[in-house]
Amino acid sequence: MSATYRVAVRALCDFTAREGDLDHRFTPAPSAQEGIQGHTLVASRRGADYIAELPLSGIFEGLTVTGRADGFDPAANRLEEVKTHRGSLERMADNQRALHWAQVKVYGALLCAERGLARITLTLVYLEIASGKETLLSQEASATELQAFFSDQCQRFLAWAEQEADHRQSRDSRLQTLGFPHGTFRPGQRELAEDVYKATSTGRCLLAQAPTGIGKTVATLFPMLSAMPRQQLDRIAFLTMKTPGRRLALDALATLRSSPGEEAQPLRVLELVARDKACEYPDRACHGESCPLAAGFYDRLPAARQAAVEQAWLDRDALREVALAHDVCPYYLGQELARWTDVIVGDVNHWFDSHALLHGLAQANDWRTGVLVDEAHNLVERARGMYSAELDQQRLNRVRRAAPPALARPLNRLARQWQTATKDAGLDAVGKPGKPSYRLLSALPDKLVAAAQQVGASLTDYLGEHPEDASLELQELLFEALAFCRLAERFGEHSLCDLTRHGRGRAVLGLRNLIPADFLAPRFNAAHSVVLFSATLTPGHYYRDLLGLPEKTVWREVASPFAARQLEVRIRRDISTRFRDRDASIEPIVATMAQQYQRRPGHYLAFFSSFAYLAAALAQFRETHPEVPVFSQTRGMPEAEREAFLARFTPGGKGIGFAVLGGAFAEGIDLPGDRLIGAFIATLGLPPFNDFNEALKARLGARFGQGDDYTYRIPGMIKVVQAAGRVIRSPEDEGVVVLMDDRFAQANVRALLPSWWAVETLSQ
């Protein structure tokens, strides 16, 4: 029978042989590199005839099973599966051991069939990384026994594979006739949809700048779904920066799945939610002895998985309902279903972070993936955060006070290196005149990094032997050290190292990523097509350079459906909001706001560069115009207060909301109609002039020749345009934006404003 389906041995056993509890108690595990080195070490200890990495394959009723056995000794007729571990082997869970036995049995069946062996010795080789000690567990098996086991595993998987193939055929057939869910396209929607379809069809990356209000979400999902069967895409990932973006995507997908007059699409949709948001028992540890949804998780997973794919629509609430109906953890059910759904909606970290779930699955399963990135203007800063790390001296000091004696030596060594590093940087006397608390370092403090590496290794070894001592603080220090040292190994011109001292024993060593391109370029190349879209993606070369987009990336600007008459844009070139001029700027800013409000009462937002600047303007406005309702954003505003702030913008209402540019109210909020009729922007949004940003400017200038623009002007104007974009949300809206700073009139700044704006420059 000709082969129809293909599966790796590891994936086959992972699907069919897992059983028992979910157990995510901390157990220090070898890194991938340590695992590779461990396998090499074991092979080097065997005889000359030993065959390492032996390729094997076999067919069962149309299912092709392939893989590489770790090692085979022909003289001893022994097949080995090598597993590396840390600490006592006795603490390994029974279900983990059962999975290992399943893998070696499948390899044994394939080997016996290929070489005509009647019997074979199967051996699990457990190598303890720290000591190099091998523990061998062996059992004899006949070819008949192994073939029966192999057949059982394949039969259980084959039923699922046939179901998946039927789903794929049905999905692709229906998507080939997918219709646009609305009667007509909005202005700009068709143009955007065509560009997305072309990018997906040619396997390119697309940067699409499209104005707010045209329906970008459906205009990107519809064409990529339409191209899905033709381009043989396995998965589509719709990635967002914030939770509201996920909701918009799910709403669009719901509409696309059930177009009027058509049968519902057989499209599986999954919303990925953060662990802390999905956890049903946040006060319980994540293992079967503590959490009822972890106990017997793998025993109940097959039924839950089947019910979930039959339901197909798996947003947060639906996924939770399925999970609880089968008494399994919603979060880990979602992680499992990422393998079996067609469209995954989640945060950008699921593809771009160093440990990204979707990217890892795509690589392991050789998926052809289409990726959509909403509000993509934020990806530069988000990615910088993903590839930055810190070491906290204060955390180390807390751990040292209560650490087990066995850890005293490496912890004390790290403490001494902290003292040396702060002294060498001139930060050992913070608080004294002439001793700043911040230093950019010309190179990594190698001895401190080496000490941190030793702490990471020592903590890993100790907790492997004493898991009962795995306190939260020990784990936090371990994860911090490992994350920092991993990035330190890749330290280069894409990052800076700095040291900040907040007081005695309170220093922070930072690795700050400046150019995400060096980390992100492989992520873009791993996808079949990536579409990044936002209302603010100008200039295109800024994003191409900093994100590491492929050379053939296409930049498109969708013409705005808005007319210049809808938005009155005025520049007050007689006002300077530079730091030295801020006291003098308060009076004309307040006067400008009051005059506009009196001319057309309604709801406005006023944006400032800092809370201090905001407070000064607010106090002056309240004193001189007490009759105008005002309300203000506050530092660290809780979610309930943010919602109350937005609730003030009622239809037909009046008042001015004071906010900071780049904050919660400067983008991602929708106040259509007369809920918001204008915005005052009293800042260019420029990042602060300091040592870090000047170093960033120098680095970006050396790499791209665009130091000042890439560090200050472009990031600042992205914030300005985003804030101004709150005013006009639909073709029916009208409003005003007042830009209060003389620099807005400069040609290089005006070039970064939307092309459809008709700007009037005023001197008073």
Side-chain angles (χ1 to χ4, degrees):
M1 183 178 184
S2 62
T4 306
Y5 312 115
R6 180 177 295 271
V7 66
V9 171
R10 184 178 295 271
L12 172 69
C13 295
D14 196 49
F15 186 90
T16 61
R18 287 187 298 178
E19 58 185 25
D21 295 351
L22 184 72
D23 193 340
H24 282 273
R25 280 175 285 199
F26 174 74
T27 51
S31 66
Q33 185 60 37
E34 287 174 327
I36 293 171
Q37 293 170 351
H39 281 66
T40 302
L41 175 62
V42 170
S44 71
R45 293 171 172 175
R46 303 298 186 257
D49 295 334
Y50 187 79
I51 305 172
E53 295 293 315
L54 175 64
L56 294 168
S57 65
I59 297 175
F60 176 85
E61 295 185 9
L63 178 67
T64 297
V65 181
T66 64
R68 287 181 177 271
D70 290 331
F72 176 56
D73 184 343
N77 193 32
R78 185 174 71 197
L79 182 68
E80 295 186 336
E81 178 73 7
V82 180
K83 302 295 182 184
T84 56
H85 70 102
R86 289 186 182 276
S88 173
L89 195 58
E90 296 176 359
R91 285 192 290 273
M92 180 173 288
D94 291 341
N95 60 351
Q96 189 70 15
R97 182 75 49 77
L99 179 61
H100 298 163
W101 276 122
Q103 291 172 358
V104 74
K105 285 179 180 179
V106 171
Y107 282 125
L110 296 175
L111 183 63
C112 286
E114 182 177 286
R115 299 201 172 202
L117 303 176
R119 300 188 64 81
I120 195 170
T121 299
L122 304 177
T123 299
L124 294 178
V125 180
Y126 288 105
L127 176 72
E128 207 287 317
I129 286 294
S131 64
K133 176 185 175 182
E134 291 183 29
T135 301
L136 275 61
L137 305 178
S138 298
Q139 60 178 252
E140 298 291 318
S142 69
T144 302
E145 293 170 339
L146 294 175
Q147 183 60 40
F149 181 83
F150 175 71
S151 298
D152 178 61
Q153 304 306 302
C154 291
Q155 190 64 57
R156 291 163 62 187
F157 184 80
L158 192 59
W160 179 268
E162 289 172 344
Q163 171 186 278
E164 290 304 289
D166 289 344
H167 165 73
R168 174 73 172 253
Q169 183 177 7
S170 175
R171 180 200 78 183
D172 287 354
S173 176
R174 291 296 312 284
L175 287 178
Q176 286 177 349
T177 59
L178 181 67
F180 192 67
H182 306 296
T184 59
F185 286 90
R186 295 181 189 176
Q189 258 189 331
R190 181 184 291 276
E191 181 183 350
L192 176 58
E194 289 175 351
D195 285 335
V196 173
Y197 187 86
K198 290 175 184 176
T200 308
S201 299
T202 57
R204 292 191 177 189
C205 181
L206 170 67
L207 274 170
Q209 177 169 286
T212 298
I214 71 166
K216 292 191 291 291
T217 305
V218 72
T220 52
L221 277 166
F222 167 67
M224 189 167 278
L225 285 168
S226 297
M228 198 173 192
R230 297 171 178 85
Q231 299 304 315
Q232 298 183 322
L233 296 185
D234 298 293
R235 303 290 184 275
I236 291 175
F238 190 102
L239 307 176
T240 69
M241 303 291 165
K242 298 176 182 177
T243 301
R246 293 207 309 266
R247 188 69 260 166
L248 289 173
L250 291 167
D251 290 345
L253 285 164
T255 303
L256 286 162
R257 287 180 80 242
S258 55
S259 298
E262 296 184 14
E263 182 183 351
Q265 289 285 343
L267 194 68
R268 296 178 187 163
V269 175
L270 172 69
E271 179 184 11
L272 286 176
V273 180
R275 181 173 172 176
D276 60 340
K277 299 290 179 62
C279 183
E280 291 290 318
Y281 296 96
D283 58 332
R284 308 283 186 90
C286 193
H287 57 82
E289 296 172 14
S290 177
C291 178
L293 300 182
F297 175 87
Y298 290 114
D299 300 328
R300 295 189 294 274
L301 176 60
R305 180 171 52 208
Q306 185 64 45
V309 298
E310 288 175 0
Q311 178 158 320
W313 182 261
L314 298 165
D315 64 4
R316 176 179 178 176
D317 292 338
L319 179 64
R320 178 177 183 269
E321 183 178 341
V322 172
L324 297 185
H326 291 81
D327 293 323
V328 297
C329 171
Y331 175 74
Y332 285 103
L333 178 59
Q335 299 281 292
E336 168 69 18
L337 290 171
R339 295 162 170 81
W340 311 112
T341 45
D342 305 310
V343 182
I344 300 103
V345 178
D347 190 87
V348 289
N349 64 0
H350 290 305
W351 187 265
F352 293 105
D353 189 74
S354 57
H355 301 291
L357 170 69
L358 296 180
H359 176 262
L361 289 173
Q363 294 294 95
N365 296 285
D366 198 25
W367 286 346
R368 286 169 67 87
T369 310
V371 179
L372 298 169
V373 183
D374 192 11
E375 299 293 343
H377 64 277
N378 285 312
L379 187 56
V380 172
E381 285 306 311
R382 281 292 303 273
R384 281 172 172 162
M386 293 175 193
Y387 294 96
S388 297
E390 291 183 343
L391 284 179
D392 188 338
Q393 185 185 22
Q394 194 170 22
R395 173 174 284 120
L396 170 67
N397 292 335
R398 286 197 303 267
V399 170
R400 286 178 66 208
R401 287 193 286 268
L407 295 173
R409 185 173 181 179
L411 293 175
N412 290 338
R413 180 189 175 201
L414 181 56
R416 290 193 298 272
Q417 291 304 324
W418 263 117
Q419 293 173 354
T420 300
T422 54
K423 182 178 181 180
D424 290 348
L427 298 178
D428 56 318
V430 67
K432 294 183 180 180
K435 293 287 185 179
S437 61
Y438 179 82
R439 281 285 189 277
L440 282 167
L441 305 184
S442 57
L444 286 175
D446 291 336
K447 292 183 178 180
L448 193 155
V449 174
Q453 290 173 331
Q454 184 57 52
V455 164
S458 299
L459 275 170
T460 299
D461 293 341
Y462 179 82
L463 293 178
E465 293 293 337
H466 305 88
E468 68 278 1
D469 291 344
S471 66
L472 179 61
E473 287 207 326
L474 279 178
Q475 291 181 57
E476 286 179 341
L477 179 61
L478 172 60
F479 298 151
E480 181 181 271
L482 293 178
F484 189 92
C485 292
R486 276 195 298 267
L487 284 177
E489 292 175 356
R490 300 182 64 181
F491 185 70
E493 67 169 9
H494 50 65
S495 300
L496 288 177
C497 185
D498 59 17
L499 190 62
T500 307
R501 191 167 186 263
H502 303 286
R504 185 177 180 84
R506 295 167 54 207
V508 174
L509 180 67
L511 276 180
R512 318 289 179 189
N513 178 248
L514 311 178
I515 306 171
D518 295 348
F519 295 99
L520 297 189
R523 302 305 171 97
F524 288 107
N525 292 331
H528 171 74
S529 176
V530 182
V531 175
L532 303 103
F533 58 100
S534 169
T536 315
L537 287 177
T538 298
H541 59 77
Y542 171 79
Y543 296 96
R544 287 194 188 98
D545 288 346
L546 290 182
L547 295 177
L549 302 181
E551 286 186 10
K552 294 184 178 180
T553 296
V554 177
W555 187 87
R556 288 285 187 268
E557 181 176 11
V558 177
S560 174
F562 309 131
R565 59 174 174 74
Q566 290 180 256
L567 186 66
E568 180 184 355
V569 182
R570 301 200 302 269
I571 295 174
R572 286 295 304 270
R573 64 184 306 167
D574 57 329
I575 296 176
S576 168
T577 64
R578 298 170 180 83
F579 187 78
R580 65 177 182 270
D581 300 324
R582 285 189 182 168
D583 288 345
S585 72
I586 297 294
E587 184 175 342
I589 286 173
V590 167
T592 300
M593 293 168 59
Q595 290 167 7
Q596 173 58 37
Y597 185 87
Q598 290 161 5
R599 182 182 302 118
R600 185 186 174 191
H603 271 139
Y604 294 82
L605 275 168
F607 295 101
F608 298 85
S609 57
S610 67
F611 281 102
Y613 200 10
L614 179 156
L618 179 61
Q620 178 74 9
F621 195 96
R622 279 176 168 155
E623 180 180 343
T624 54
H625 303 282
E627 74 285 357
V628 179
V630 293
F631 44 101
S632 174
Q633 179 183 3
T634 57
R635 197 185 303 271
M637 205 172 191
E639 185 174 351
E641 292 183 18
R642 292 200 301 268
E643 291 175 355
F645 182 97
L646 291 175
R648 297 284 296 267
F649 292 88
T650 55
K654 299 176 183 178
I656 302 177
F658 285 64
V660 290
L661 193 69
F665 307 114
E667 64 175 88
I669 62 169
D670 195 18
L671 300 171
D674 62 359
R675 293 177 64 191
L676 181 69
I677 64 169
F680 307 102
I681 302 177
T683 172
L684 265 70
L686 303 180
F689 180 86
N690 55 31
D691 290 346
F692 177 83
N693 282 325
E694 283 299 284
L696 172 62
K697 173 182 171 179
R699 192 68 57 89
L700 296 179
R703 179 83 170 260
F704 305 115
Q706 300 271 350
D708 195 60
D709 279 351
Y710 281 17
T711 303
Y712 295 107
R713 190 172 296 112
I714 293 173
M717 291 305 295
I718 289 170
K719 295 177 184 177
V720 168
V721 175
Q722 279 289 320
R726 302 312 97 200
V727 178
I728 300 296
R729 309 296 293 175
S730 74
E732 293 76 35
D733 286 358
E734 294 183 356
V736 60
V737 170
V738 183
L739 305 174
M740 295 184 279
D741 192 286
D742 60 278
R743 289 167 290 181
F744 282 116
Q746 296 174 1
N748 56 354
V749 174
R750 289 192 60 166
L752 298 173
L753 298 176
S755 57
W756 65 274
W757 285 7
V759 181
E760 180 184 6
T761 302
L762 303 176
S763 297
Q764 60 179 12

